[in-house]
Amino acid sequence: MTGHADHASRDGGGHEHGHAHAPANFGKAFAVGIGLNVAFVLIEGVYGVLSNSLALVADAGHNLSDVLGLAVAWAAAVLGKRAPTPRYTYGMKGSSILAALFNAVILLVAMGAIAWEAVRRFGEPAPVAGTTVMVVAGIGILINGITAWLFASGREGDLNVKGAFLHMAADAAVSAGVVVAGLLIALTGWRWLDPVTSLLIAAAVVWSTWGLLRDSVRMSLAAVPPGIDPDAVRAHLRGLEGVTAVHDFHVWPMSTTEVALTSHLVRPDGTDDAFLIRAARELRDRFGIVHVTLQVETSEATACALAPDGVV
């Protein structure tokens, strides 16, 4: 028996598939957003060096991470649409997890280098062209604002698009902070404001990136995704009609947007397609688990090598 979102087989396996990728019509938004931000990273990096502003260089590094983030979201949308192969039976969905982990590590290393240079500059303050800093950061507000606007219409219905929108909107706010620092430097001549601003930017990036690093490491280790209570899911399965026991229970991320579940259910009355389809739909609707595989056994006395919870 098959349906648009549910599949069930007579050997006791039920399957449901769901997808949460960026719509095809956002491909142009990703391309334009990446193009604008690459151009701005080059402008900000060059003028950061010419104006001797570590704050601009730090923000350029931050905006480079935005380019990587947009590219990852776009790549995940494209790769997620590829059909499974005999070797990659889930397709390429997991590539988004590896990309997120790579981006988090590279960004943390870059911010560490910037923080080191900022601390060094406290002992050797250098003159900074405050007006140049304000103008370049002002361009950043414009570019980040435009990029956020490109994704605004899809932020409610797609997590990838929503992430891109929130990231770019936050960057517009960071660029506004750099403008304020440049203004204060131009008015007061306080050179120490530049390394202080760069440290604040680095701290903000590390704060937001730490969560990305933590979640991507957990996902790469097939941990239960945030927002899903495994005890609640297990209790739900145990409460299904006719089910007397649950074992070999696993919940893990297939990608940064999709969750899978496999479990053995003991159901003395046996199973049918309707039970499997209903169970899969309930798991999708209640917990957002889109790929469900259930194996039904008819007797608790039947030896199952995977019955103890400690067995993987």
Side-chain angles (χ1 to χ4, degrees):
M1 177 184 297
T2 60
H4 292 296
D6 305 276
H7 304 274
S9 60
R10 297 187 183 277
D11 61 358
H15 305 272
E16 177 177 329
H17 303 271
H19 303 278
H21 304 296
N25 61 347
F26 277 97
K28 182 180 292 186
F30 279 120
V32 173
I34 289 173
L36 287 174
N37 279 273
V38 166
F40 181 59
V41 166
L42 294 175
I43 293 172
E44 194 170 34
V46 169
Y47 278 95
V49 173
L50 293 178
S51 64
N52 205 26
S53 172
L54 190 59
L56 276 183
V57 174
D59 198 40
H62 185 202
N63 282 291
L64 179 59
S65 76
D66 299 338
V67 174
L68 294 175
L70 289 174
V72 166
W74 194 7
V78 173
L79 291 176
K81 294 176 182 177
R82 290 192 174 183
T85 67
R87 177 65 61 183
Y88 297 97
T89 57
Y90 275 133
M92 302 295 290
K93 302 178 189 298
S95 59
S96 60
I97 297 174
L98 296 178
L101 178 60
F102 173 81
N103 283 345
V105 171
I106 293 300
L107 186 54
L108 289 174
V109 171
M111 291 301 104
I114 288 172
W116 178 271
E117 176 63 14
V119 171
R120 188 191 68 79
R121 285 204 177 190
F122 276 114
E124 301 175 11
V128 175
T131 301
T132 301
V133 170
M134 286 189 293
V135 172
V136 175
I139 296 173
I141 296 174
L142 180 62
I143 289 179
N144 288 323
I146 291 174
T147 306
W149 173 77
L150 291 173
F151 297 104
S153 63
R155 67 185 187 277
E156 297 299 331
D158 188 286
L159 291 179
N160 271 337
V161 175
K162 181 178 181 180
F165 169 79
L166 292 177
H167 201 162
M168 301 314 302
D171 291 340
V174 171
S175 294
V178 175
V179 170
V180 173
L183 177 61
L184 291 175
I185 291 172
L187 293 176
T188 65
W190 294 342
R191 298 178 181 178
W192 54 266
L193 283 174
D194 182 64
V196 165
T197 302
S198 63
L199 282 175
L200 290 175
I201 292 173
V205 174
V206 169
W207 177 265
S208 61
T209 304
W210 188 256
L212 174 64
L213 177 65
R214 179 195 62 223
D215 291 342
S216 58
V217 167
R218 288 176 177 174
M219 285 185 172
S220 65
L221 295 175
V224 177
I228 294 181
D229 182 352
D231 292 332
V233 178
R234 182 189 285 268
H236 177 78
L237 291 175
R238 180 64 177 78
L240 293 175
E241 180 184 1
V243 173
T244 60
V246 176
H247 59 268
D248 193 31
F249 169 84
H250 302 283
V251 180
W252 75 97
M254 295 173 60
S255 70
T256 53
T257 59
E258 296 183 57
V259 182
L261 174 147
T262 62
S263 184
H264 290 197
L265 308 179
V266 178
R267 194 171 189 254
D269 293 336
T271 189
D272 53 38
D273 291 350
F275 170 79
L276 294 171
I277 292 174
R278 184 170 61 253
R281 283 178 174 168
E282 289 177 0
L283 288 167
R284 178 197 61 198
D285 295 341
R286 285 194 58 179
F287 303 102
I289 299 173
V290 298
H291 192 291
V292 175
T293 302
L294 301 173
Q295 175 174 311
V296 177
E297 299 159 1
T298 57
S299 174
E300 293 188 46
T302 302
C304 178
L306 299 175
D309 283 342
V311 175
V312 179

